[in-house]
Amino acid sequence: MSKKSKKPANTKNAIVEPEDYKSALHDLQIELVKLQRHLIKNDLRILILFEGRDASGKDGVIKRITEHLSPRDTRVVALGKPSNRDTHSWYFQRYAAQLPATGEMVLMNRSWYNRAGVERVMGFCPKTEHEEFMQSVLPFERLLVNSGTQVFKYYLDISKLEQKSRLEARRDDPLKQWKVSPIDKTALRHWDDYSTARNEMFARTHSDDLPWHVVRADDKKQARLNVIRHLMSRVDCPEKDKHLAKADPETVFDYAKEHVQSGAIAP
């Protein structure tokens, strides 16, 4: 979506009825299977980065994408706290070890952009390391692209009210206790700091060849369906159903400064 394209409306997405959602998801997951067959047959590589605030729905989107894909050819990467060795190594080193081989799709639940978000806001890295990252990340990603890896960057965007609701629900749900972390407690308190860090990340790491795709994710079901639609619209897969590969432009759109100014991206 170019800067001249129609701006996404600042309204909530229409509610998806349960049966409609299940049917739409089923059809889109068939498209993903087609994509994987094409990926394996042609020795291609796909890397998908998912970023967003805590509780923005990254796990849910990733689960729906990978649910019916081959576990041998699909990997979800969610790295934990860096080890002492990691902190004394080239920043991208531990991520480089997780990159896809030919025929693989890798989905990163948070990625090297941790340095532009959580690490910056929480003071886990000095300003010099943050600046070094901001200057080197696009050249690093271009190396991947030039070597044959397709790279997609999605940012799941939610409102402050929605984040508060989800974090509270997470704390009260015994099946989601593994998601609770000390960082959760500071997420709302540092809302504005995260917004500032996010906006700088967008401004400095978005480019025509490596764009940030923003996903309005207050409606989880709409977000899941439209990420898959958008992904299918961007990949070359001869067998895909082009009618299904059309994302709602009010739900998924490329970053542009005016979207921050208009409130289409949560302030």
Side-chain angles (χ1 to χ4, degrees):
M1 176 175 172
S2 68
K3 292 185 178 181
K4 293 182 180 180
S5 300
K6 182 180 177 181
K7 294 181 183 179
N10 194 17
T11 58
K12 287 193 173 182
N13 295 309
I15 296 174
V16 181
E17 295 298 333
E19 290 306 314
D20 293 339
Y21 168 71
K22 290 180 181 178
S23 176
L25 180 61
H26 177 266
D27 291 344
L28 288 168
Q29 288 176 328
I30 291 175
E31 294 302 297
L32 287 168
V33 171
K34 293 179 185 177
L35 171 60
Q36 185 161 59
R37 285 204 305 259
H38 177 70
L39 197 71
I40 296 169
K41 180 180 177 181
N42 294 280
D43 288 334
L44 303 176
R45 299 190 293 266
I46 289 182
L47 173 65
I48 312 175
L49 312 182
F50 287 97
E51 294 292 337
R53 298 178 192 266
D54 292 317
S56 60
K58 297 180 291 297
D59 291 310
V61 171
I62 291 171
K63 179 179 179 180
R64 272 67 186 187
I65 292 175
T66 61
E67 193 169 12
H68 297 290
L69 298 182
S70 164
R72 292 185 298 276
D73 305 290
T74 312
R75 286 189 294 116
V76 176
V77 176
L79 299 182
K81 182 180 178 181
S83 67
N84 184 60
R85 185 175 186 277
D86 289 332
T87 60
H88 290 87
S89 302
W90 177 49
Y91 176 69
F92 292 101
Q93 186 165 316
R94 70 182 189 135
Y95 293 103
Q98 303 296 333
L99 294 173
T102 54
E104 277 192 330
M105 179 188 297
V106 170
L107 303 91
M108 287 193 176
N109 187 342
R110 293 198 185 278
S111 65
W112 42 78
Y113 282 103
N114 243 16
R115 178 136 293 180
V118 174
E119 290 191 18
R120 178 191 170 183
V121 172
M122 301 306 296
F124 295 157
C125 71
K127 291 182 179 179
T128 53
E129 291 183 0
H130 172 263
E131 181 59 28
E132 180 183 357
F133 167 80
M134 297 297 268
Q135 292 185 25
S136 60
V137 64
L138 282 178
F140 172 71
E141 290 172 356
R142 287 186 178 115
L143 284 174
L144 300 182
V145 172
N146 291 338
S147 70
T149 300
Q150 298 176 73
V151 179
F152 300 93
K153 304 192 292 190
Y154 289 100
Y155 183 91
L156 274 59
D157 189 49
I158 56 173
S159 65
K160 188 174 185 179
L161 183 63
E162 182 65 18
Q163 185 187 48
K164 181 180 179 182
S165 174
R166 292 185 188 181
L167 290 176
E168 289 175 351
R170 177 185 290 182
R171 289 193 294 269
D172 295 336
D173 188 341
L175 296 179
K176 295 183 178 180
Q177 292 303 299
W178 62 272
K179 290 187 174 184
V180 178
S181 74
I183 300 295
D184 288 353
K185 297 179 181 179
T186 67
L188 290 168
R189 189 166 72 246
H190 287 287
W191 176 271
D192 291 341
D193 296 327
Y194 276 110
S195 294
T196 298
R198 174 204 63 195
N199 294 345
E200 182 183 2
M201 178 188 77
F202 282 158
R204 298 184 64 182
T205 67
H206 170 86
S207 65
D208 290 340
D209 58 331
L210 286 159
W212 273 107
H213 309 301
V214 181
V215 184
R216 297 176 70 184
D218 274 13
D219 185 323
K220 292 181 179 180
K221 292 180 179 179
Q222 283 280 12
R224 294 165 186 168
L225 296 176
N226 281 286
V227 166
I228 300 174
R229 288 171 182 150
H230 185 271
L231 176 64
M232 291 305 302
S233 75
R234 296 296 298 260
V235 296
D236 179 20
C237 180
E239 296 180 22
K240 71 181 178 183
D241 185 334
K242 294 182 180 179
H243 295 290
L244 293 179
K246 292 182 179 179
D248 176 4
E250 292 187 5
T251 303
V252 185
F253 52 92
D254 284 6
Y255 162 78
K257 187 176 181 179
E258 65 250 35
H259 298 331
V260 176
Q261 297 168 338
S262 70
I265 296 175

